[in-house]
Amino acid sequence: FDHHKITAEVLSAILGGCSSSRLFYEIRDLRGLSYDIAAGHLAYSDTGVFTIQTAFKTKNMKKGLKIIIDEIEKISSQKVSEKELSDVKEMIKGTAAIAREQTNYVANRLAIDYLFEQKVVSPKEYNEQIDEVSADDVLKVAQMIFKKENFNLQIVGPFKDVEPFQKILSH
């Protein structure tokens, strides 16, 4: 299995995979800038994408984007605590266990595993892979993924000038 793919899954959960994630706390709970924010990743055999998505009121765009960038910089420069890592691993495994009760999820998971890995990963193997992820792994993968030259910002709204947002991305 590709350890980086599993680590990216853990990384996305830490940043925006649940209501106790860093971005959810900073953006929604602490500041009330957005109702929902999520992070996720898709990994293919030769490429991948890591996304963070949310919706801000126009007046909150710069502030919200700055917080997202700050959290990306933080997770790319400081190891996550063992408690945060342990909590998110248990959340991922629990969510997967609940999802496995749905026929569509099982069919989709089996197809993806077989198509991309030529192997079906059992629930036990999946949990073991999640458990193998360390704080060092998360930091390393965050540093690999979050390079500013690879950032791509998509904004939908009444904006004539996106330069202020681009400046936030490159600061």
Side-chain angles (χ1 to χ4, degrees):
F1 80 100
D2 187 341
H3 192 64
H4 288 145
K5 288 180 188 178
I6 292 292
T7 303
E9 186 173 340
V10 172
L11 172 63
S12 69
I14 292 168
L15 273 178
C18 62
S19 61
S20 61
S21 67
R22 290 180 178 195
L23 289 172
F24 199 92
Y25 174 75
E26 290 293 329
I27 299 285
R28 180 187 165 139
D29 292 347
L30 197 60
R31 294 178 178 87
L33 297 175
S34 178
Y35 181 74
D36 193 23
I37 185 161
H41 88 288
L42 293 171
Y44 303 105
S45 59
D46 60 345
T47 189
V49 64
F50 193 101
T51 62
I52 297 172
Q53 56 198 35
T54 190
F56 294 117
K57 288 183 177 178
T58 304
K59 67 180 183 174
N60 295 332
M61 281 290 298
K62 287 181 189 174
K63 187 176 189 178
L65 184 56
K66 172 108 175 67
I67 294 165
I68 291 169
I69 296 300
D70 289 347
E71 287 301 317
I72 287 171
E73 288 175 349
K74 191 185 307 179
I75 204 160
S76 300
S77 62
Q78 302 167 15
K79 278 194 223 178
V80 298
S81 72
E82 289 302 321
K83 169 135 180 48
E84 183 178 23
L85 184 60
S86 174
D87 289 349
V88 83
K89 286 178 182 182
E90 292 307 309
M91 184 274 304
I92 291 169
K93 293 185 295 186
T95 301
I98 292 168
R100 282 191 291 272
E101 295 177 8
Q102 300 172 9
T103 311
N104 288 345
Y105 173 85
V106 173
N108 191 35
R109 184 79 253 153
L110 292 172
I112 288 170
D113 285 350
Y114 188 75
L115 285 171
F116 291 109
E117 306 295 333
Q118 286 72 51
K119 174 184 185 240
V120 174
V121 177
S122 73
K124 182 181 180 209
E125 288 174 295
Y126 176 77
N127 288 346
E128 289 169 354
Q129 291 171 0
I130 294 294
D131 285 336
E132 287 178 23
V133 175
S134 70
D136 286 326
D137 295 332
V138 173
L139 180 61
K140 180 180 174 183
V141 168
Q143 290 169 342
M144 286 173 40
I145 291 173
F146 297 128
K147 295 180 180 173
K148 288 191 178 185
E149 62 269 16
N150 295 333
F151 284 6
N152 184 335
L153 177 64
Q154 295 180 346
I155 299 175
V156 177
F159 302 102
K160 303 245 187 276
D161 182 17
V162 295
E163 189 174 332
F165 303 113
Q166 291 170 327
K167 285 182 181 177
I168 293 171
L169 285 179
S170 63
H171 85 282

